[in-house]
Amino acid sequence: MNAKNPSTMPASTERRMPFHKYKPFKPVSLPDRTWPDKVISEAPIWCSVDLRDGNQALIEPMTPNEKMKMWDLLLEIGMKEIEVGFPAASQTDFDFVRQIIEENRIPDDVTIQVLCQAREDLITRTCEAVSGAKRVIFHLYNSTSTLQRKVVFNMDRQQVIKLATDATALVKRYTQPLRDAGTEVVLEYSPESYTATELDFAVEICDAVMKVWGPTVEKKMILNLPSTVEMATPNIYADQLEWFIRHLPERDKAIISLHTHNDRGTGIAATELGLMAGADRVEGTLFGNGERTGNCDLITMAMNMFSQGIDPRLYLSDMPRIVAIAEECTKIPVHVRQPYAGELVFTAFSGSHQDAIRKGMAVVNKEGGAWEVPYLPIDPADVGGSYRETVRVNSQSGKGGIAFVLENFFGVSLPRPLLLEFSPIIQKLSEQRSGELKPDEIWNAFVKEFIEVEGPYKLVDYDIRSVGDNVQACDARITVGDNKIEVSGEGSGPIDAFVAGLVETLNEPLNVVEYQEYALNEGKEAQAICILAITDDAHNKYYGVGISQSTVTAAFKSIIAAINRKWR
Ligand code: KIV
Ligand code: ZN
């Protein structure tokens, strides 16, 4: 049967997903919203929830050792608020909290946070866990969403408010002995699934909790407004926040905290717009590890600010180390395209991008000033990367990429006609390979093509003598196939003399038409590279390259290489 015969084709190839199963999220009515005109100008209070939300979402939760490694990393990058676990729900978490308190591992400017559900037994156990800490954020939560009230708890609004306020009263009562013993206790209340909660109800329950806890302007409590499951576009989260903040009776006694998840892939966008809408604090994890599609990625959040000239108040300069420890503790690889941290995020394979980066870098290196390099939103060196790794060569790359690699890895800058000759060789090689060519492979191809060129001639050795004013004589031994022959000539310098000898002895018509020589590296082991072109009687041009500790040897080798290329 002929598959292309129209009579055998189906009438339509169109297929439909069951989109009718889903309903659109209702936007917030806030025509006088102000957040779109706001600009993020300073870092929020960061709170890492890696050791709780992140850990809860792992196939293999962190071992005590891994928790400690992650804790140390969070301190190292400058995290000042860290949710260390759900101690009433997990013995490992309980033991970890005890360990960092008893071993005095919490710096004075760092506050631990512990999660707890609105249940008396869990509240007392949590208080036990944090006893002896200098400052603690007691994170109380219950779900307030319309759906969960109906299908999970079977409670009306007033019952849910009572649940939250009773629990707050219990936290107040059971933390009193801690306070008496000198621990500062901050309450954080999360109406879980805030984004799926009626806004007026969210305000009502948060206000009721505040009334029981009794925060002041000086001693605020934290209201954490989670997008537990991301359900709408990020602008809607911002509207929900601006609405909430406008309607909360005692906003000045609350720190408004954001806690987004990434179900629609816009957890970071939602958090950024949430900050524009007036929030003060952000909870999230390194690289966004967390339930389902993850939490808000604090690294990207902070680096986004950094790239706008804002102090992120996190120290992320050794990104490879942060990645390595996060991967080790979570056993989840950081994606090669992970913003600011992935292996490929500062790499250009495309020829036009490589060219633009090269030119942009030249301007930045020469003129300084604010970072402005095409295709590189930040300087990779700021996160422990290297400018050298920005350009990698595959079949999509052009001569710019090859020139970049030779310049930056080997210190060799090629004249443009030579580059034009070399570039198709690399193109062909990478096509054959169907993949990337590493710098060493590019170099080896260069050596094979221009330096150690297969051909009839080989330089054995030579002597140079002065034979008069500005006249030098060269006696060189070369092999031609299996024969060793003497080449002698005179000229104004060694190259002239060698060329004269070659022309005479070998009857090789050749002119040196281009010549450049420079040091490849510095110090005792310094090598010179000579890049030279000869022409024959028909004006064909042949490049040859020589490398040696002696500038004369490098030049002679380059001539031999050029002649061999001619004979190839
Ligand atoms: O995602 C969420 O809602 C949470 C709460 C416990 C804050 O993790
Ligand atoms: Zn969460």
Side-chain angles (χ1 to χ4, degrees):
M1 193 172 70
N2 181 358
K4 287 200 175 129
N5 179 349
S7 63
T8 63
M9 281 188 187
S12 165
T13 52
E14 201 171 349
R15 300 171 73 196
R16 295 269 162 105
M17 296 277 290
F19 60 92
H20 290 114
K21 261 167 85 174
Y22 304 95
K23 54 182 191 221
F25 196 90
K26 267 215 186 86
V28 180
S29 171
L30 195 66
D32 57 343
R33 59 179 66 77
T34 62
W35 63 262
D37 292 327
K38 301 278 167 55
V39 172
I40 298 171
S41 58
E42 61 176 339
I45 302 165
W46 301 115
C47 174
S48 149
V49 294
D50 291 87
L51 291 165
R52 196 278 299 172
D53 217 347
N55 191 41
Q56 279 181 325
L58 295 176
I59 301 170
E60 264 179 71
M62 291 180 225
T63 62
N65 270 347
E66 286 162 352
K67 282 200 111 184
M68 196 58 82
K69 248 193 190 154
M70 178 61 83
W71 164 259
D72 287 340
L73 175 68
L74 294 169
L75 296 183
E76 197 178 302
I77 65 173
M79 208 61 82
K80 300 297 177 208
E81 296 189 357
I82 302 173
E83 191 162 79
V84 284
F86 194 161
S90 142
Q91 188 61 42
T92 316
D93 282 11
F94 187 95
D95 294 342
F96 179 74
V97 180
R98 290 311 313 148
Q99 187 184 356
I100 55 175
I101 295 171
E102 283 163 21
E103 292 179 4
N104 210 12
R105 286 174 179 265
I106 310 171
D108 280 352
D109 60 349
V110 171
T111 304
I112 56 166
Q113 176 168 311
V114 278
L115 184 74
C116 184
Q117 267 169 341
R119 264 179 40 197
E120 184 164 8
D121 54 335
L122 301 182
I123 293 169
T124 53
R125 177 84 172 144
T126 306
C127 289
E128 231 180 279
V130 297
S131 152
K134 187 164 171 262
R135 190 168 186 267
V136 172
I137 299 170
F138 196 112
H139 183 180
L140 185 68
Y141 78 99
N142 64 285
S143 180
T144 53
S145 85
T146 325
L147 180 66
Q148 291 211 39
R149 289 195 323 258
K150 195 169 115 195
V151 304
V152 182
F153 305 109
N154 192 20
M155 282 182 173
D156 63 20
R157 285 184 176 205
Q158 287 321 308
Q159 286 169 312
V160 176
I161 290 176
K162 186 167 174 343
L163 179 91
T165 49
D166 284 355
T168 305
L170 290 173
V171 174
K172 201 169 174 177
R173 170 154 34 117
Y174 289 119
T175 54
Q176 190 55 53
L178 296 177
R179 269 192 298 272
D180 292 343
T183 300
E184 184 185 342
V185 181
V186 177
L187 179 70
E188 169 168 334
Y189 174 66
S190 289
E192 201 223 273
S193 297
Y194 161 77
T195 46
T197 303
E198 304 89 327
L199 284 174
D200 63 327
F201 180 56
V203 168
E204 192 183 348
I205 196 165
C206 287
D207 183 45
V209 166
M210 284 179 80
K211 293 237 155 58
V212 175
W213 184 254
T216 65
V217 175
E218 293 73 34
K219 284 199 180 308
K220 300 181 202 302
M221 68 168 282
I222 299 167
L223 291 178
N224 187 47
L225 304 175
S227 167
T228 304
V229 176
E230 188 171 54
M231 304 168 90
T233 49
N235 59 305
I236 292 184
Y237 189 51
D239 280 350
Q240 289 170 323
L241 285 153
E242 184 163 339
W243 196 100
F244 181 96
I245 289 171
R246 275 193 211 176
H247 289 83
L248 185 71
E250 295 183 292
R251 196 274 176 250
D252 57 347
K253 295 180 182 166
I255 290 168
I256 305 295
S257 176
L258 308 176
H259 177 117
T260 61
H261 282 264
N262 197 37
D263 299 79
R264 296 168 53 93
T266 53
I268 289 166
T271 309
E272 289 184 326
L273 300 194
L275 288 178
M276 288 159 63
D280 313 294
R281 180 179 188 270
V282 169
E283 293 190 353
T285 57
L286 305 186
F287 309 116
N289 174 44
E291 290 283 15
R292 306 179 306 282
T293 50
N295 283 70
C296 170
D297 168 14
L298 295 187
I299 302 270
T300 302
M301 280 295 298
M303 289 304 302
N304 282 353
M305 291 183 193
F306 176 77
S307 71
Q308 299 293 304
I310 298 167
D311 179 357
R313 303 184 71 97
L314 287 181
Y315 192 73
L316 307 173
S317 290
D318 194 352
M319 200 65 88
R321 179 175 150 74
I322 300 170
V323 168
I325 296 178
E327 286 183 334
E328 184 189 339
C329 295
T330 60
K331 289 139 229 129
I332 294 178
V334 169
H335 198 277
V336 291
R337 305 258 180 233
Q338 178 76 24
Y340 305 104
E343 190 197 319
L344 293 183
V345 298
F346 299 116
T347 298
F349 284 107
S350 130
S352 62
H353 290 207
Q354 294 176 339
D355 204 43
I357 290 175
R358 216 168 125 234
K359 290 175 177 150
M361 280 302 297
V363 175
V364 161
N365 287 337
K366 196 161 146 228
E367 295 173 11
W371 180 261
E372 260 187 323
V373 174
Y375 304 108
L376 288 181
I378 63 156
D379 182 350
D382 290 336
V383 284
S386 145
Y387 164 51
R388 290 193 342 171
E389 269 95 53
T390 56
V391 168
R392 287 166 63 170
V393 171
N394 64 14
S395 59
Q396 302 299 307
S397 315
K399 46 193 181 314
I402 298 163
F404 181 97
V405 168
L406 290 178
E407 270 168 39
N408 287 280
F409 285 82
F410 304 101
V412 172
S413 78
L414 301 184
R416 194 171 159 73
L418 197 163
L419 186 58
L420 290 175
E421 245 188 277
F422 185 45
S423 163
I425 294 168
I426 290 298
Q427 176 84 19
K428 200 166 153 206
L429 201 61
S430 54
E431 274 167 11
Q432 282 165 356
R433 186 74 56 82
S434 310
E436 185 188 358
L437 289 180
K438 295 286 182 196
D440 277 350
E441 295 172 298
I442 295 171
W443 177 251
N444 291 341
F446 180 72
V447 169
K448 192 164 165 220
E449 181 61 31
F450 293 101
I451 302 181
E452 286 165 13
V453 186
E454 275 184 30
Y457 300 118
K458 258 198 187 82
L459 177 70
V460 180
D461 57 16
Y462 62 86
D463 301 304
I464 305 286
R465 282 168 294 123
S466 190
V467 289
D469 274 358
N470 299 323
V471 182
Q472 297 202 303
C474 169
D475 298 313
R477 265 82 40 204
I478 61 173
T479 55
V480 185
D482 292 335
N483 304 321
K484 200 170 192 177
I485 58 170
E486 288 269 340
V487 168
S488 297
E490 288 183 5
S492 59
I495 297 177
D496 242 17
F498 185 53
V499 168
L502 287 171
V503 171
E504 206 177 298
T505 318
L506 302 178
N507 203 17
E508 276 282 1
L510 61 93
N511 292 304
V512 175
V513 288
E514 268 180 52
Y515 165 83
Q516 52 170 292
E517 191 150 15
Y518 49 85
L520 271 185
N521 39 26
E522 288 161 16
K524 268 219 308 247
E525 302 290 300
Q527 297 229 325
I529 182 165
C530 177
I531 301 174
L532 156 156
I534 58 168
T535 52
D536 57 18
D537 280 351
H539 300 291
N540 297 310
K541 193 171 176 185
Y542 304 95
Y543 278 98
V545 179
I547 294 178
S548 168
Q549 274 182 299
S550 143
T551 52
V552 175
T553 309
F556 285 13
K557 281 181 163 179
S558 68
I559 294 168
I560 295 289
I563 303 174
N564 279 334
R565 291 193 71 235
K566 178 186 147 186
W567 281 107
R568 231 172 19 177

